[in-house]
Amino acid sequence: HEDRTPPLGVTCALGFDSFVAMVQTYKSAESACYFCNDVTAPTDSLSNRSLDQQCTVTRPGLSGMAGSIAVELVAAMTQHPDGFEAARCAIDGSGSSILGAIPSQVRGYLGGYKLVPAEVDAFAQCPCCSKDVVRTFREEGVEFVQRVTANSSILERMSGLEEMKQRLQSADLAAFDMDDMDDFAAL
């Protein structure tokens, strides 16, 4: 088994009139992955859904814009003294490359012609890149992928997301008191 430097991961995701281009964690330069902002495990988004619900409809120029931003993120890192390990920063400043800031992600909104750079930390309970999920994938490989494909709730349990959601639900129930019932009775 040869120990190689992993390739840099860059993700682009498209909505109808919005996109995100993001740089993945690379060695010591940590960034959030695509799923770090989700509080649920990934599921099948194509079966039993109409075309507009399958995330397949997007404005014509959006993919080119997202791809261009992704290329610029990579270019900025290649011009930084630390390369792909450059610290992520959303605002041009002392940690920038000669091509400017290196945010962990850039969100684009075509409706308002806006680009919003952001620094986004990895989520400890991420169903995709949390330590336990990554460790299990490295140990089990394809078998793990097959198990998760058959039952994505495995990811929520393994990452700690399921426990976090249960604690939040319990806290919500504890905060609900009988005085709140009066508000509902008036309806």
Side-chain angles (χ1 to χ4, degrees):
H1 181 282
E2 192 176 327
D3 188 27
R4 295 184 192 159
T5 300
L8 175 69
V10 178
T11 300
C12 289
L14 307 176
F16 172 69
D17 65 351
S18 62
F19 71 87
V20 63
M22 57 194 325
V23 179
Q24 306 298 328
T25 293
Y26 186 83
K27 294 185 178 181
S28 64
E30 290 194 7
S31 297
C33 81
Y34 180 78
F35 295 100
C36 279
N37 293 315
D38 288 342
V39 289
T40 184
T43 58
D44 179 359
S45 63
L46 298 176
S47 297
N48 303 318
R49 292 192 177 193
S50 63
L51 188 62
D52 65 321
Q53 293 176 323
Q54 294 180 21
C55 304
T56 58
V57 179
T58 188
R59 289 180 59 173
L62 205 62
S63 63
M65 292 173 68
S68 297
I69 295 296
V71 168
E72 288 299 322
L73 286 170
V74 172
M77 286 184 285
T78 64
Q79 299 305 306
H80 191 282
D82 296 331
F84 294 154
E85 287 188 86
R88 311 294 188 246
C89 60
I91 300 170
D92 207 6
S94 62
S96 298
S97 84
I98 61 171
L99 296 179
I102 304 172
S104 52
Q105 64 179 241
V106 177
R107 293 186 176 270
Y109 303 95
L110 197 54
Y113 298 99
K114 293 180 187 173
L115 292 177
V116 181
E119 293 176 53
V120 182
D121 294 327
F123 177 44
Q125 285 84 25
C126 178
C128 214
C129 72
S130 62
K131 289 181 183 358
D132 286 343
V133 171
V134 171
R135 179 186 46 75
T136 305
F137 171 72
R138 287 184 174 147
E139 291 171 359
E140 298 180 18
V142 174
E143 290 175 14
F144 176 63
V145 173
Q146 290 171 333
R147 283 192 302 129
V148 167
T149 302
N151 181 4
S152 65
S153 68
I154 292 169
L155 293 174
E156 288 193 9
R157 263 191 318 279
M158 185 177 292
S159 66
L161 190 56
E162 182 179 74
E163 181 183 342
M164 183 194 85
K165 288 164 68 173
Q166 287 172 348
R167 281 195 319 259
L168 288 173
Q169 188 176 31
S170 295
D172 284 347
L173 289 174
F176 187 79
D177 65 28
M178 293 311 286
D179 292 336
D180 294 327
M181 291 302 290
D182 295 337
D183 295 336
F184 290 112
L187 297 175

